[in-house]
Amino acid sequence: MRTAGAIEAPSYTRREDSGPGRFAVLVGRDVAGHVSLCSEHPGTWRVDGLTRFMGRTYHREEAAARLAAWQNARDDAGL
């Protein structure tokens, strides 16, 4: 069984999206999802894929890497 530490995120970029505290995460030219400050749980970042809520984390870069890895896994699966 692989652990989260064994999964590496592909190269990605962040760009501010629709205001402060919200970022689009891009893998190549594709938007993998969005990372935003969570209003329900202050101090955390909300991770939203294009079609689903994917969780929260205390670190913005961890959230972005999660989205990039998810995008890469979807591409590998042909979804």
Side-chain angles (χ1 to χ4, degrees):
M1 182 171 145
R2 292 188 343 174
T3 65
I7 299 170
E8 291 188 31
S11 179
Y12 64 88
T13 56
R14 282 183 293 104
R15 73 166 187 237
E16 195 168 320
D17 184 46
S18 62
R22 182 172 165 88
F23 299 89
V25 177
L26 292 91
V27 177
R29 289 201 244 169
D30 298 324
V31 175
H34 295 89
V35 175
S36 56
L37 287 169
C38 184
S39 59
E40 297 173 23
H41 301 278
T44 64
W45 291 88
R46 182 181 167 102
V47 184
D48 289 296
L50 295 178
T51 60
R52 67 185 75 192
F53 168 70
M54 297 181 67
R56 293 179 183 88
T57 181
Y58 288 103
H59 306 285
R60 180 179 64 188
E61 290 305 318
E62 182 180 312
R66 184 183 302 175
L67 283 171
W70 175 256
Q71 176 75 19
N72 195 43
R74 288 178 48 86
D75 286 348
D76 287 350
L79 300 175

